[in-house]
Amino acid sequence: MNAFSTSELIGTAIFALILAILAYRIIRGMPKMEGNITAFRKRTLVWTQVALVLTVLQLNFKAGDWRFAIILGLIVLFTGSVWWAARYYDMRRPPEADSSGQDTPGE
């Protein structure tokens, strides 16, 4: 098994901190978000699924080497948390807010 060096641990911690800050800022801005949050929710779900598949493939083909799988796992957590928050705010949004500002086929 590969052991982590100090520089790899520090780099992983910095990457996790950057993702945590980005997720916090994105989630805090969602209530004021203009536009279609349903589309945003669907896009983040797709990216969560892509990151999850890449993580599983990495774990399958590179058994014993956890370096890249940990980074992909952090990305899964990041996209999953943004998707979960978008889903929460989409469910709480009143139904008339979904159609406001949207182009209709008649326009």
Side-chain angles (χ1 to χ4, degrees):
M1 295 261 172
N2 296 328
F4 289 104
S5 67
T6 305
S7 62
E8 290 171 340
L9 288 174
I10 291 171
T12 303
I14 290 171
F15 185 70
L17 183 64
I18 290 170
L19 286 180
I21 291 169
L22 281 174
Y24 176 77
R25 292 184 55 103
I26 291 169
I27 292 169
R28 292 282 296 178
M30 274 187 203
K32 299 174 278 217
M33 191 170 149
E34 294 180 15
N36 193 353
I37 198 164
T38 304
F40 180 71
R41 176 179 53 91
K42 289 178 182 178
R43 282 192 304 268
T44 55
L45 178 61
V46 167
W47 281 110
T48 302
Q49 291 170 343
V50 167
L52 188 61
V53 166
L54 289 174
T55 304
V56 170
L57 286 173
Q58 173 69 21
L59 288 172
N60 188 29
F61 292 122
K62 289 289 219 173
D65 189 9
W66 290 87
R67 292 178 181 121
F68 196 60
I70 288 175
I71 297 299
L72 285 172
L74 289 172
I75 293 172
V76 169
L77 291 175
F78 168 73
T79 57
S81 65
V82 172
W83 169 75
W84 192 269
R87 181 180 177 271
Y88 173 77
Y89 286 119
D90 191 29
M91 301 293 257
R92 292 192 55 169
R93 183 175 282 200
E96 65 273 357
D98 289 336
S99 61
S100 64
Q102 300 283 327
D103 290 337
T104 58
E107 291 181 346

